[in-house]
């Protein structure tokens, strides 16, 4: 969900009004998990690298769907994180386990529609135009 | 005349051979792309099963409480893990926007104490 999310970030995050979080949904096979784990591993070194890979993966979903380990290693390296440390994290399985646990928490919360956007507890389902999110966000602002 | 005929025949055979060599590649790539797109479309549309442009729901207290408890448990389970332990640090982009991870290990972008939290549950694929 890059389109509206990007606008949300550009509009509300720099002003300090909104904090954006990302929680993985693993629906589309092994690379759902691998991509999220790769982003986590990069983020463990530098949280901004997580968001860089977040944008990269959403912009190249076709590639990510077919990606192999080298693709993720190279994508992470492009964010400036240490490549060896990234590879160690990716191969170690710790990030995969954490992603899976976050996904399990999502399932236990009965969130099954992709994407689901939680705005201070109010859930919006499916891809929505920015205006739809803006309306809910504005209403939630103090 | 015969030489011309032989030349045309040779060119024709070459073109046919080249065409056969490329044929399997295109459908394969198309199938992979189409499969990904089809899966994505199905996964997105099927659960929602609605034609309305916008669907909202108030999160039920039990659901959020369960999610909070679950993420807290996850955070506790990973406090001794090497990789997540190094993730406690926050980073600030050149734009001055902070980023980091919540106590549950979820990545965030923005001021940690922002009045509104937008959590995107999604799949990178």
């Amino acid at each position: 969900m890059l389109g509206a999310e990007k606008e949300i970030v550009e509009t509300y995050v720099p002003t300090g009004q909104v904090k954006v979080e990302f929680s993985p949904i693993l629906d589309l096979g092994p690379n759902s998990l691998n991509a999220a784990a790769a982003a986590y591993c990069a983020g463990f070194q530098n949280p901004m690298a997580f968001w860089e890979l977040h944008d990269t993966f959403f912009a190249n979903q076709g590639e990510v769907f077919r990606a192999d380990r080298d693709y993720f290693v190279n994508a992470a390296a492009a964010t400036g994180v240490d490549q060896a440390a990234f590879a160690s994290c990716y191969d170690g399985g710790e990030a995969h386990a954490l992603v899976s646990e976050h996904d399990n928490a999502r399932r236990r919360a009965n969130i099954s529609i992709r994407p689901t956007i939680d705005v201070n507890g109010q859930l919006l389902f499916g891809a929505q135009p920015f205006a739809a999110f803006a309306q809910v966000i504005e209403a939630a602002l103090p | 005349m015969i030489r011309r005929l032989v030349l045309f025949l040779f060119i024709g055979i070459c073109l046919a051979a080249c065409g056969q060599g490329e044929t399997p590649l295109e459908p394969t790539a198309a199938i992979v792309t189409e499969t990904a797109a089809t899966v994505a479309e199905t996964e997105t549309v099927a659960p929602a099963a609605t034609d309305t442009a916008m669907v909202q729901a108030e999160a039920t207290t039990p659901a959020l409480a369960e999610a909070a408890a679950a993420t807290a448990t996850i955070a506790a389970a990973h406090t001794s893990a090497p990789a997540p332990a190094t993730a406690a640090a926050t980073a600030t982009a050149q734009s001055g926007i902070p980023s980091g991870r919540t106590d549950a290990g979820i990545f965030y972008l923005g001021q940690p104490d922002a009045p509104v939290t937008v959590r995107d549950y999604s799949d990178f694929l």
Side-chain angles (χ1 to χ4, degrees), chain A residues 35-50:
Chain A
Y40 273 45
C41 281
F44 291 160
Q45 292 189 47
N46 175 5
M48 282 309 299
F50 170 88

Side-chain angles (χ1 to χ4, degrees), chain A residues 5 19-21 23 25 27-28 32 46 51 61 64 66 94 101-102 108 114 116 118 120-123 128, chain B residues 32 39 43 53 56-57 59 66 70 74 78 81 91 104 108-109 115-125:
Chain A
E5 184 184 274
K19 173 180 66 176
V20 172
E21 300 178 347
S23 189
I25 290 180
D27 267 354
L28 299 175
S32 286
N46 175 5
W51 292 102
Q61 289 179 310
V64 177
R66 298 183 293 273
E94 185 66 32
E101 291 189 42
H102 285 160
R108 288 193 295 272
R114 176 173 51 82
T116 292
D118 180 337
N120 274 11
Q122 183 168 355
L123 302 181
Q128 305 284 342
Chain B
V32 171
V39 170
E43 292 291 331
Q56 296 183 21
E66 188 176 356
I74 292 167
H78 285 268
Y108 69 81
L109 184 65
V116 175
T117 297
V118 173
R119 180 177 287 193
D120 177 8
Y121 291 89
S122 192
D123 193 325
F124 285 131
L125 301 187

Side-chain angles (χ1 to χ4, degrees), chain B residues 71-92:
Chain B
T71 50
T73 303
I74 292 167
H78 285 268
T79 49
S80 61
T86 61
T90 59
T92 303

Side-chain angles (χ1 to χ4, degrees), chain B residues 19-84:
Chain B
Q20 284 176 350
E22 291 176 359
T23 302
L25 294 176
E26 293 179 4
T28 304
I31 287 169
V32 171
T33 305
E34 189 178 348
T35 303
T38 304
V39 170
E41 186 177 346
T42 304
E43 292 291 331
T44 302
V45 173
T50 176
D51 291 329
T52 56
M54 181 175 180
V55 181
Q56 296 183 21
E58 290 293 339
T60 59
T61 304
L64 289 180
E66 188 176 356
T71 50
T73 303
I74 292 167
H78 285 268
T79 49
S80 61

Side-chain angles (χ1 to χ4, degrees), chain A residues 61-82:
Chain A
Q61 289 179 310
E63 290 181 5
V64 177
F65 187 81
R66 298 183 293 273
D68 58 12
R69 177 185 177 280
D70 287 346
Y71 178 92
F72 293 122
V73 171
N74 292 331
T79 70
V81 300
D82 181 85

